[in-house]
């Protein structure tokens, strides 16, 4: 039987990804397992699912980032962030065990009460919402083209069929929403909560380490070869570089393969992130209701509202980076680093080590400094643009 903190018990049992192995003898726990996924996934399957979720739209900005930082400092930063991410996840898992909490929000509630839990939900919702808007913007760029620095970069449908009403951005995103996203996000359950789907839940630490190592390798390779291929011509979204002659055999074919394959990847990751977004928004708005998968009216209302917002945002947000920089500099670093570090520093159960505290202060320092620089840069760019 799962023992939970008094703060967490105030809220309904919700189908969020469990952090630790747990016996599911209670009816609510059975509902949670039933909604979250089906037990029995393999180690390799869990690594694949976690890795494909981690590798998102941010990878397209890495070559330009490394160009600005320099090759060696840029690659070092990728490795450092990978290490900090693993440390962050490890701390969450250990404190979840100490607090007898099954979810990330439960760990935060144990350390900071209901207010902390609510703030975490808000950050997750903002981060995932911004992420999905970015995904759809990139899909629109891949299919119909984009304007960067005053230059139009053609999308694959423009190159294949020319400019028609059905190759416009709005039409292609509408078709993608109706025939790809809506069927996928209509599933009540995803085999998404990695630990809940494992045959052996004790493997979770190895799975996290393997996934982070794999993703870091992919990030390093993308940054290095992207910069090597395009040099000073590397654009903020490196996908936009794949619309011309690369100076190699079968250049046009390679351009299309890279863009289409990444667009398909985002389409398949979209419902997984949406699943988390829907659950967290529902938990924020209806903390005492039954799980959303068992309430048809609430399920379809929340799904329609979120999908409508994302579609409008993808069509009217001026640039991918307007959404990217804001969510990345605020909600993303809060969920990934500030909350875990704050939990370790508060140390309500007296289990934090000296290394935990050092890593926590490093996380907070890097998160706050990078966020301050990013937000300040955004504000300056906005006012500079208006002034110009």
């Amino acid at each position: 039987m799962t023992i939970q903190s008094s703060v967490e018990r105030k809220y309904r049992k919700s189908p969020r990804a469990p952090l630790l192995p747990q016996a599911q003898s209670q009816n609510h726990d059975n509902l949670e397992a039933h909604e979250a996924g089906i037990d029995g996934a393999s180690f390799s399957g869990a690594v694949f699912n976690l890795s494909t979720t981690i590798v998102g739209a941010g990878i397209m900005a890495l070559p330009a980032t490394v160009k600005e930082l320099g090759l060696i400092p840029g690659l070092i930063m990728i490795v450092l962030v990978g290490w900090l991410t693993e440390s962050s996840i490890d701390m969450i898992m250990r404190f979840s065990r100490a607090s007898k909490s099954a979810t990330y929000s439960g760990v935060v509630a144990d350390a900071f009460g209901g207010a902390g839990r609510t703030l975490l939900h808000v950050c997750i919702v903002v981060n995932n919402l911004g992420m999905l808007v970015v995904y759809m913007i990139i899909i629109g760029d891949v299919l119909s083209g984009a304007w960067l620095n005053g230059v139009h970069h053609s999308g694959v449908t423009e190159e294949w069929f020319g400019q028609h009403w059905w190759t416009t951005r709005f039409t292609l995103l509408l078709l993608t929403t109706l025939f790809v996203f809506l069927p996928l996000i209509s599933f009540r359950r995803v085999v998404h909560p990695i630990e809940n789907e494992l045959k052996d839940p004790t493997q979770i630490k190895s799975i996290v380490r393997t996934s982070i190592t794999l993703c870091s390798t992919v990030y390093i390779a993308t940054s290095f070869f992207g910069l090597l291929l395009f040099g000073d011509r590397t654009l903020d979204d490196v996908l936009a570089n794949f619309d011309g002659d690369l100076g190699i055999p079968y250049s046009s074919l390679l351009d299309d393969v890279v863009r289409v394959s990444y667009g398909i990847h985002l389409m398949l990751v979209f419902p997984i992130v949406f699943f988390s977004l829907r659950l967290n928004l529902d938990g924020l708005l209806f903390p005492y209701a039954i799980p959303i998968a068992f309430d048809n009216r609430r399920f379809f209302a929340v799904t329609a509202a979120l999908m409508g917002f994302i579609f409008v945002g993808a069509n009217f947000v001026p640039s991918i980076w307007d959404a990217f920089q804001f969510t990345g500099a605020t909600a993303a670093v809060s969920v990934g680093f500030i909350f875990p570090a704050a939990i370790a520093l508060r140390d309500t159960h007296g289990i934090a080590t000296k290394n935990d505290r050092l890593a926590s202060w490093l996380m907070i320092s890097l998160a706050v400094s990078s966020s301050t620089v990013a937000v300040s840069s955004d504000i300056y760019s906005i006012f500079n643009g208006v002034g110009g």
Side-chain angles (χ1 to χ4, degrees):
M1 178 176 177
T2 301
I3 302 174
Q4 292 180 302
S5 66
S6 59
V7 176
E8 189 173 6
R9 231 182 343 249
K10 288 169 51 183
Y11 295 82
R12 67 172 169 87
K13 285 292 296 179
S14 60
R16 290 170 181 79
L19 295 169
L20 297 169
Q22 56 179 322
Q24 298 180 346
S25 58
Q26 294 181 345
N27 290 335
H28 282 306
D29 291 329
N30 290 329
L31 289 176
E32 182 172 340
H34 178 63
E35 181 171 2
I38 302 173
D39 294 339
S42 65
F43 181 93
S44 58
V47 169
F48 177 79
N49 287 343
L50 182 58
S51 299
T52 54
T53 305
I54 292 173
V55 177
I59 193 173
M60 293 299 104
L62 286 178
T65 302
V66 171
K67 182 184 72 172
E68 295 298 325
L69 293 176
L71 182 61
I72 301 302
L75 298 183
I76 290 174
M77 285 301 297
I78 294 175
V79 175
L80 175 61
V81 171
W83 173 74
L84 290 176
T85 301
E86 183 180 352
S87 299
S88 170
I89 295 174
D90 180 65
M91 286 190 289
I92 293 173
M93 292 174 63
R94 285 191 286 112
F95 276 91
S96 68
R97 183 181 299 113
S99 64
K100 303 296 189 296
S101 299
T103 62
Y104 187 8
S105 60
V107 182
V108 173
D110 179 73
F112 299 104
R117 183 189 190 117
T118 299
L119 182 59
L120 174 67
H121 281 311
V122 170
C123 289
I124 292 175
V125 168
V126 171
N127 178 65
N128 288 7
L129 200 57
M131 190 186 306
L132 292 180
V133 170
V134 168
Y135 283 6
M136 190 174 279
I137 290 175
I138 293 179
I139 291 169
D141 291 347
V142 167
L143 296 177
S144 66
W147 286 88
L148 291 175
N149 301 324
V151 178
H152 180 66
H153 298 270
S154 299
V156 292
T157 57
E158 285 184 343
E159 293 180 357
W160 294 347
F161 306 109
Q163 294 185 346
H164 304 280
W165 67 268
W166 47 270
T167 63
T168 62
R169 183 184 200 84
F170 179 87
T171 303
L172 289 173
L173 288 182
L174 180 61
L175 293 174
T176 302
T177 299
L178 293 177
F179 297 105
V180 179
F181 291 148
L182 285 183
L184 292 177
I185 65 176
S186 296
F187 287 106
R188 306 299 181 96
R189 287 162 286 277
V190 182
V191 186
H192 169 52
I194 302 299
E195 185 170 7
N196 197 50
E197 67 180 11
L198 290 177
K199 295 176 182 176
D200 181 7
T202 60
Q203 293 178 320
I204 186 65
K205 188 170 184 178
S206 297
I207 288 170
V208 169
R209 182 176 290 114
T210 303
S211 294
I212 290 176
T213 301
L214 176 61
C215 292
S216 297
T217 303
V218 172
Y219 288 160
I220 290 172
T222 301
S223 303
F224 178 79
F225 290 109
L227 187 60
L228 184 66
L229 185 59
F230 299 113
D232 292 335
R233 297 184 295 110
T234 304
L235 298 172
D236 291 343
D237 180 358
V238 75
L239 274 184
N241 285 109
F242 288 91
D243 71 330
D245 185 6
L246 301 178
I248 59 176
Y250 306 104
S251 172
S252 178
L253 176 62
L254 179 61
D255 284 341
D256 291 346
V257 168
V258 169
R259 288 186 290 175
V260 171
S261 61
Y262 189 70
I264 293 174
H265 165 74
L266 292 185
M267 290 180 187
L268 296 178
V269 172
F270 188 99
I272 298 177
V273 179
F274 190 92
F275 179 79
S276 173
L277 170 62
R278 181 169 53 205
L279 288 183
N280 280 278
L281 181 62
D282 181 68
L284 186 64
L285 299 178
F286 309 102
Y288 303 103
I290 64 172
I292 188 172
F294 300 96
D295 187 330
N296 289 336
R297 181 176 299 178
R298 201 167 88 242
F299 179 87
F300 288 112
V302 173
T303 299
L306 287 174
M307 196 64 242
F309 182 91
I310 294 167
F311 179 79
V312 171
N315 279 280
F316 291 98
V317 170
S319 166
I320 177 179
W321 308 113
D322 293 334
F324 221 169
Q325 292 175 358
F326 174 75
T327 57
T330 54
V333 295
S334 297
V335 173
F337 298 115
I338 293 179
F339 273 106
I343 290 169
L345 292 175
R346 189 169 179 84
D347 194 17
T348 54
H349 298 279
I351 64 170
T353 65
K354 182 179 179 180
N355 287 338
D356 289 336
R357 288 187 284 271
L358 290 175
S360 297
W361 282 118
L362 180 58
M363 288 180 196
I364 291 176
S365 299
L366 289 176
V368 171
S369 59
S370 61
S371 296
T372 301
V373 171
V375 173
S376 300
S377 176
D378 287 345
I379 294 174
Y380 174 80
S381 296
I382 291 172
F383 283 99
N384 189 50
V386 172

